[in-house]
């Protein structure tokens, strides 16, 4: 067999056999396993050059920051700003590189520190795996969380989106955002407000040239990638809105998905791992028409 | 303070205060904390466009595969081949995209499955943190390992280099190699031979455009990034050889480094993590003259 292709041949979906791979589970999941993402929880970034990035916002975890982000989008505050920082195995960051542009009305300059929420009453699907950062991890409303002392915090997994900030106790307004492009920097959990995740177009950010300045900042303005516009899907014409569904982390299909992520037994794998960490279980998201 | 810069301002090295960040520890580590990497354990890849990637080989873990890789480099087997696969949050792969080029003499087509080695007698610096994949993790000879049932295996952390292969029981010759460009795919541990890690030039691979074919393969030959040459440093003229040192994972400085990776208490951090996972402790490597 062709080594170049075979390395991940296990990803190929087999025909009508019982689900054996995580991708099989996704393909076979019933409609009831999927939840439509609300239009006002989708943030659409159009970049110079034609690429589009779509972020799912997490108002359940960071309501004040998400309110700010919605107000910034409605004020078209990011239009003409840029992606100005790309640090390898860490983050890509965008917004106003001068940090001097005034915030529009209705945006709180110093929202509360929404780093955790009360875990009481949350329907958490636990991930039965040891974690280096918290006693428990799991999934809530389709989001990866760590749980400690009765509090749930979103985890800094690949493609999660957070709010850049000054040293504590500042929390950041949400005008400067970043996404994770490497191994999960979980040390940032509970230190920064996570506000969502990228559900489409990640490669338009993750494949950008790395910045050669301190912290991966681009050294010259010409290196920055201009942002054409940032809009909530709910503010776009209905016909132009993207639409996405996320797998319900309470659905039986999601349990199958997690189990298979932890125990690959298809052709390629000689030894199943027997476990999986929270950031190695990306919650399935799909575009819908 | 400037939010764009401040997000990671903790990385700035403070003046002569006691070490408080992992980077402080690296900067202050004595010469005795560093080990020179042997010239025949450095593989130098020159890419079209001028970028250079340097790999540290791991003969202690995969001696037969490393012997193959050395023979392939000495036969100039990779010269004129290419990087042909880039899958986001997963791997970049290079070699012969047609998988038809004959192997040179002295290269074993089917080396043994060097996925683990006996942990008896190894000086393992344990990492005191729960891990989803193995009962214990730690460091051996400057490499990250997971330990299970008396066997130590290298872990699929960011920038680690592995041998692409067909479905088991094939082990791959080493002619097709990949590196990890996203969250650690630890499910590959003990299923693939890891043979080293990238110690310089990672961004020349991680920032490549993602392939749009299956498994991230480039759809057309024109998308591939040509490889000009691959050489062992030991086969290069002495004046042209790169030279690197790796921090000795048995050195006291390394213990300080790990402790600070797990417990950031510098300005930016309000809440130290209290733990760190094996792939979030990149072993320090530095270029030397």
């Amino acid at each position: 067999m062709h080594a170049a292709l075979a390395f991940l041949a296990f990803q190929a979906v087999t025909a009508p056999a019982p689900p054996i791979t995580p991708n099989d589970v996704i393909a076979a999941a019933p409609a009831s396993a999927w939840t439509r993402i609300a239009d006002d929880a989708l943030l659409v970034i159009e970049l110079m050059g034609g690429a589009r990035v779509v972020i799912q916002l997490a108002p359940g975890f960071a309501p004040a920051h998400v309110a700010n982000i919605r107000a910034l989008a409605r004020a078209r505050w990011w239009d003409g700003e840029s992606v100005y920082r790309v640090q390898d195995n860490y983050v890509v960051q965008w917004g106003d590189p001068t940090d001097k542009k005034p915030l529009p009305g209705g945006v709180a300059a110093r929202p509360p520190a929404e780093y955790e929420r009360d875990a009481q009453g949350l329907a958490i699907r636990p991930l039965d795996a040891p974690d280096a950062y918290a006693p428990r991890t799991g999934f809530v409303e389709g989001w990866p969380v760590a749980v400690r002392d009765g509090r749930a915090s979103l985890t800094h997994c690949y493609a999660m989106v957070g709010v850049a900030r000054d040293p504590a106790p500042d929390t950041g307004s949400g005008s400067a955002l970043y996404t994770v492009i490497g191994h999960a920097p979980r040390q940032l959990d509970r230190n920064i407000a996570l506000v969502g995740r990228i559900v489409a177009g990640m490669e338009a950010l993750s494949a950008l040239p790395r910045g050669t300045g301190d912290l991966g900042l681009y050294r010259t303005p010409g290196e920055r990638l201009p942002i054409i516009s940032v809009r909530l899907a709910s503010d776009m014409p209905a016909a132009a809105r993207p639409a996405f569904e996320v797998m319900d982390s309470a659905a039986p299909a999601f349990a199958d998905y997690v189990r298979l992520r932890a125990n690959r037994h298809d052709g390629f794998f000689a030894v199943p791992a027997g476990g999986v960490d929270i950031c190695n279980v990306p919650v399935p998201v799909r575009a819908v028409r």
Side-chain angles (χ1 to χ4, degrees), chain A residues 243-270:
Chain A
F244 288 86
E245 292 177 339
V246 58
M247 191 177 279
D248 179 0
S249 50
F254 188 78
D256 290 341
Y257 172 74
V258 172
R259 180 174 48 78
L260 287 168
R261 292 286 300 185
N263 292 285
R264 300 300 297 265
H265 53 85
D266 38 305
F268 180 82
F269 286 88

Side-chain angles (χ1 to χ4, degrees), chain A residues 68-88:
Chain A
N68 270 5
I69 288 166
R70 286 171 171 154
L72 288 158
R74 288 182 173 134
R76 307 190 168 193
W77 191 86
W78 283 293
D79 296 15
E81 297 301 338
S82 64
V83 181
Y84 54 79
R85 176 186 176 202
V86 184
Q87 186 168 0
D88 196 56

Side-chain angles (χ1 to χ4, degrees), chain A residues 205-229:
Chain A
L205 299 175
S206 59
L208 287 175
R210 278 43 182 160
T212 56
D214 289 343
L215 314 179
L217 288 166
Y218 286 137
R219 286 186 183 276
T220 59
E223 293 171 273
R224 297 174 189 153
L225 175 62
I227 294 171
I228 304 296
S229 67

Side-chain angles (χ1 to χ4, degrees), chain A residues 83-173:
Chain A
V83 181
Y84 54 79
R85 176 186 176 202
V86 184
Q87 186 168 0
D88 196 56
N89 193 21
Y90 203 40
V91 296
V92 170
Q93 189 170 321
W94 63 93
D96 165 27
T98 73
D99 201 31
K100 292 188 173 161
K101 186 173 179 176
L103 296 174
V107 173
R110 295 190 177 276
E114 299 171 317
Y115 305 154
E116 308 181 285
R117 65 191 279 198
D118 193 341
Q120 293 290 335
L122 288 183
I124 302 176
R125 180 184 287 279
L127 181 66
D128 182 22
D131 182 76
Y133 303 90
R136 288 195 298 143
T137 60
F139 299 88
V140 172
E141 301 160 10
W143 295 96
V145 296
V147 182
R148 180 197 300 252
D149 300 333
R151 310 281 290 166
S153 55
L154 292 174
T155 50
H156 270 82
C157 301
Y158 192 87
M160 289 292 284
V161 174
V163 173
R165 65 165 173 83
D166 290 338
D170 178 62
T171 62
S173 67

